[in-house]
Amino acid sequence: MRNKTKKIFEKLDSIIPGGVNSPARACKGLLPFPIIVKKGKGDLIVDLDGNSYIDYCGSWGALIHGHANPTIVKAVQKRAALGTSFGITTPLEGELARLIIDCFPSVEKMRFVSSGTEATMSAVRLARGYTGKDIVIKFVGNYHGHADFFLVQAGSSVSQLSQSSSAGIPNDIVKHTFSLPYNDVKAFLHFVNDKNIKDRLAAVIVEPIAGNIGVVPASQDFLNTLRSETKRLKALLIFDEVITGFRVGLGGAQALYKITPDLTCFGKIIGGGFPAAGFGGRTDIMDTLAPLGTVYQAGTLSGNPVAMEAGIQAITLAQKNGFYQSLEKKTEIITKPLQALFKKRNIPACVQQVGSMFTLFFGVKEVRHFEDTKKFDLDQFKRFFVYLFDRGIYIPPSQYEAWFVSSGHTKQHLEKTHDLILQFFDEYS
Ligand SMILES: *Cc1c(COP(=O)(O)O)cnc(C)c1O
């Protein structure tokens, strides 16, 4: 029963476009109206009608310690009582920066902002300011927030003018951004070595483990190529680790791949469930930012003390011995038996996992780049989403998203989820 939710949603819908403040929350095409949350605790969320759901969205990966983690909540309450915002520096910014810098050898200095969108947007501005060049390369299916110049259509080539992928963005704004196929070394090499590109390239930005077409890790060869070519062309390599930073391990994806990017973007987990994000890198690059340098960047709530406190607590908790190993083991309660099942019964589906993030893809045996998403069985995904939702499990409401397991997930709930998924495949394959 979702009567109360329905009533409140209708009210919201009349005063907020689509009833939501970020489009994916609408559960469009999956549910007649979305879930509306009353509260959360550990791995559970409770809706307005009192239905509870085991949550695998985890605020899109931000909540690696689950909902209302007692350590974080206590510290945040104490901090809030001391003042919630000053627009003046507090020592907490230094504490969180120190924690991040100690985990990421590529980062010598940090700057904090309030959202991942701001982090990537500012990192690109910095890269352009530092190199004195304009062209930026991103990859199809990678998401870097919604700054104008990132919203560019796929398949741009040197000879084509880039087209924006959202209304409200003049093509002029995206004309320096090019979107190339992910994990395609040949296409990348061909593109950057064009005479019209190679001297004008400011930066390459990439999700080293894509999380926004579902979980799709980059190949080592692909990332190595991005590293060596950007170095050669005196352009900056930006790792967007807004999801993977403190998710796939303390050192992020760059530690797993042993690659040193010039700049790294953070978000989600570093805010501990509050709006904090940031970007960092080598001192000579970071010092190009105002007030030291000529690249302007600012924010009223940047480095907000309550958000910094939450981030400090979140990272400190993640530094406990065995934290990431234990999360991965928990995640495998769901993923391992599925892989075995798909193989045994030759079901056209697959699971792609890195640590505690994974996606169950329908209709494909492997996803390497955006092209593969054309084979997704979206009808089956919908059936699956609704099947789980009706039985008290909330997964990210799109086939193109990652599921996140947190330390708040109990073995019992993971096993229940696993049982229901197997039951689904018994009934529908
Ligand atoms: C979520 C996300 C962003 C944008 O962060 P917001 O806080 O939503 O603005 C950027 N890059 C990646 C890889 C993300 O997953």
Side-chain angles (χ1 to χ4, degrees):
M1 287 292 277
R2 300 208 294 139
N3 292 341
K4 197 163 169 196
T5 299
K6 185 164 187 276
K7 245 171 77 190
I8 297 289
F9 177 72
E10 279 158 10
K11 283 192 184 154
L12 283 165
D13 195 31
S14 68
I15 46 176
I16 292 175
V20 292
N21 282 304
S22 195
R25 297 176 196 171
C27 300
K28 212 172 146 180
L30 298 172
L31 297 174
F33 52 92
I35 180 170
I36 300 179
V37 171
K38 186 164 149 199
K39 59 182 182 181
K41 180 82 191 151
D43 57 0
L44 290 177
I45 49 179
V46 179
D47 76 2
L48 292 179
D49 292 280
N51 304 304
S52 70
Y53 300 85
I54 305 170
D55 176 28
Y56 291 96
C57 179
S59 191
W60 305 94
L63 299 180
I64 198 162
H65 304 294
H67 295 281
N69 175 280
T71 307
I72 299 177
V73 169
K74 217 169 126 198
V76 157
Q77 282 172 335
K78 220 168 129 192
R79 182 57 54 191
L82 300 172
T84 57
S85 179
F86 304 101
I88 303 173
T89 300
T90 71
L92 299 168
E93 293 149 67
E95 278 182 48
L96 184 57
R98 172 48 61 196
L99 282 171
I100 295 171
I101 289 166
D102 285 347
C103 291
F104 284 75
S106 73
V107 177
E108 294 172 354
K109 284 197 176 181
M110 276 295 299
R111 169 76 47 102
F112 291 109
V113 292
S114 302
S115 70
T117 292
E118 263 186 283
T120 53
M121 177 185 84
S122 308
V124 167
R125 183 183 306 146
L126 175 57
R128 284 171 162 161
Y130 177 81
T131 59
K133 298 188 272 186
D134 292 336
I135 289 179
V136 171
I137 292 174
K138 70 174 287 284
F139 297 96
V140 186
N142 281 195
Y143 177 68
H144 305 296
H146 63 95
D148 279 355
F149 62 87
F150 281 129
L151 299 181
V152 57
Q153 272 173 22
S156 324
S157 75
V158 190
S159 53
Q160 286 173 313
L161 204 59
S162 289
Q163 304 273 314
S164 62
S165 62
S166 161
I169 302 171
N171 287 334
D172 260 6
I173 299 227
V174 295
K175 74 179 178 198
H176 301 296
T177 313
F178 294 90
S179 194
L180 304 182
Y182 192 62
N183 268 333
D184 189 336
V185 173
K186 249 173 84 182
F188 177 75
L189 285 174
H190 180 75
F191 188 85
V192 290
N193 285 299
D194 186 281
K195 66 178 183 332
N196 292 314
I197 301 295
K198 62 179 201 263
D199 298 326
R200 294 168 54 211
L201 185 65
V204 173
I205 185 167
V206 66
E207 279 186 80
I209 298 163
N212 289 291
I213 27 179
V215 174
V216 181
S219 71
Q220 184 74 47
D221 185 31
F222 179 64
L223 294 182
N224 287 347
T225 306
L226 302 189
R227 180 60 287 184
S228 58
E229 287 298 292
T230 44
K231 204 166 232 167
R232 191 174 66 79
L233 296 169
K234 297 191 169 45
L236 300 189
L237 178 61
I238 306 172
F239 270 16
D240 181 349
E241 299 229 37
V242 169
I243 289 183
T244 52
F246 297 97
R247 166 61 60 182
V248 298
L250 281 176
Q254 53 198 265
L256 299 184
Y257 286 91
K258 298 189 171 53
I259 290 180
T260 306
D262 300 296
L263 290 173
T264 302
C265 301
F266 300 93
K268 302 199 165 104
I269 288 174
I270 74 154
F274 282 77
F279 58 105
R282 282 204 320 271
T283 299
D284 64 317
I285 303 170
M286 293 302 287
D287 283 354
T288 312
L289 287 171
L292 298 178
T294 49
V295 175
Y296 186 71
Q297 189 281 327
T300 301
L301 289 175
S302 293
N304 174 270
V306 183
M308 295 293 107
E309 180 70 63
I312 291 164
Q313 298 300 329
I315 292 178
T316 306
L317 285 172
Q319 283 176 324
K320 276 203 192 134
N321 242 340
F323 178 81
Y324 288 97
Q325 288 90 323
S326 143
L327 267 192
E328 181 163 358
K329 263 223 181 93
K330 279 187 177 184
T331 309
E332 283 173 354
I333 294 177
I334 297 181
T335 57
K336 268 230 171 111
L338 282 178
Q339 267 146 348
L341 173 84
F342 298 157
K343 209 164 152 199
K344 188 171 136 223
R345 301 218 335 238
N346 200 23
I347 296 170
C350 65
V351 179
Q352 294 188 179
Q353 175 188 356
V354 182
S356 57
M357 58 191 273
F358 71 94
T359 302
L360 200 179
F361 293 105
F362 292 93
V364 284
K365 288 281 194 193
E366 193 188 19
V367 182
R368 295 259 300 138
H369 30 70
F370 197 74
E371 272 302 288
D372 297 326
T373 68
K374 291 182 178 151
K375 291 176 280 177
F376 284 172
D377 185 345
L378 297 177
D379 292 334
Q380 186 75 330
F381 176 80
K382 179 179 176 173
R383 217 168 284 131
F384 180 68
F385 176 90
V386 173
Y387 187 90
L388 292 184
F389 187 78
D390 287 345
R391 290 161 181 78
I393 292 171
Y394 185 73
I395 67 168
S398 161
Q399 173 69 97
Y400 295 77
E401 299 289 352
W403 305 33
F404 297 99
V405 173
S406 75
S407 58
H409 280 91
T410 63
K411 195 161 167 262
Q412 186 203 354
H413 284 164
L414 291 162
E415 279 165 359
K416 179 181 169 190
T417 306
H418 149 265
D419 290 347
L420 281 170
I421 295 176
L422 292 189
Q423 200 178 301
F424 172 83
F425 281 104
D426 275 344
E427 289 178 38
Y428 292 99
S429 74

